Amino acid sequence: MASSSRAFRAAAVMCGAAVVLSGCGSSGETGKDATTSASAPSVAAEVPSGYDPCTDVPQDVLDSEKLTLRGQANSNANGGIKWRGCQFGRTDGYVTSIRTTNLTVDVVRGKNFPETQEFTIAGRRAISTRQFDGPHIQEACTLDVEFNGGSLEFNLNNPPSNRDTGSTDSCELARTLAEKVGPTLPSAQ
């Protein structure tokens, strides 16, 4: 049962990434919508460099959240969108992918995802959104912290069945984690 729960969590985290890509518009997009999309912020060719979430997230931060490395979480998508990083998980708690991406805070804002909130983390612009498309939208949260032409993204999945964290809102967990990791990002290049 634990492995099926992990598989569900991993699938849900990946769904969040897929929704980012498909959230550009409906299949019935009109010429006017296409024009609006063309003026949207552009995406850099590569993910920001200078920070590897697989090795640069401090161990004391991972320990404070009871997170262990679960493996690589790299992916590419249509439109040149890329993610580079790793997945971390907590026994009986949430699973998160921490990845650099060439999606900027402005690009994410332009998607108009549900429950978008903007704030500052470690002096950088940040945005949290609900990108999970399903009946349990509160279980997932994606938080992007501005970083060198893209962002550091926390894609977090936290079903209510998780004994340790299931009663806590996923965006609250993502923000707490991002506030711990954000100060470790290098200065803008």
Side-chain angles (χ1 to χ4, degrees):
M1 184 161 142
S3 63
S4 65
S5 175
R6 284 187 193 129
F8 171 77
R9 290 180 200 158
V13 168
M14 294 311 293
C15 283
V19 171
V20 167
L21 304 174
S22 64
C24 294
S26 66
S27 59
E29 197 169 62
T30 66
K32 179 181 177 194
D33 291 336
T35 302
T36 303
S37 297
S39 65
S42 63
V43 175
E46 294 298 325
V47 301
S49 62
Y51 194 84
D52 180 353
C54 300
T55 58
D56 291 341
V57 174
Q59 188 61 47
D60 63 329
V61 169
L62 297 174
D63 291 346
S64 74
E65 290 293 311
K66 301 178 185 173
L67 294 171
T68 58
L69 180 64
R70 299 269 175 99
Q72 293 281 320
N74 296 337
S75 61
N76 297 324
N78 293 335
I81 298 176
K82 300 175 183 180
W83 294 268
R84 300 290 180 264
C86 283
Q87 184 179 65
F88 300 87
R90 177 178 177 162
T91 303
D92 294 323
Y94 69 86
V95 174
T96 186
S97 291
I98 304 175
R99 306 182 291 184
T100 54
T101 179
N102 53 354
L103 291 170
T104 64
V105 168
D106 293 330
V107 169
V108 173
R109 180 189 314 107
K111 300 290 184 184
N112 297 315
F113 289 115
E115 298 184 34
T116 296
Q117 293 185 22
E118 294 188 55
F119 41 89
T120 302
I121 290 184
R124 300 169 187 264
R125 293 185 313 147
I127 188 168
S128 67
T129 57
R130 303 285 188 178
Q131 298 177 19
F132 183 68
D133 188 24
H136 307 289
I137 192 171
Q138 300 296 318
E139 293 179 11
C141 183
T142 302
L143 189 150
D144 290 87
V145 178
E146 184 174 50
F147 177 58
N148 295 342
S151 62
L152 182 66
E153 184 177 280
F154 300 80
N155 191 323
L156 193 138
N157 183 0
N158 184 45
S161 60
N162 291 336
R163 279 194 313 248
D164 284 353
T165 61
S167 63
T168 305
D169 181 86
S170 60
C171 281
E172 181 181 329
L173 291 167
R175 186 166 181 173
T176 297
L177 179 58
E179 287 174 344
K180 292 177 179 182
V181 175
T184 71
L185 287 169
S187 299
Q189 297 176 352

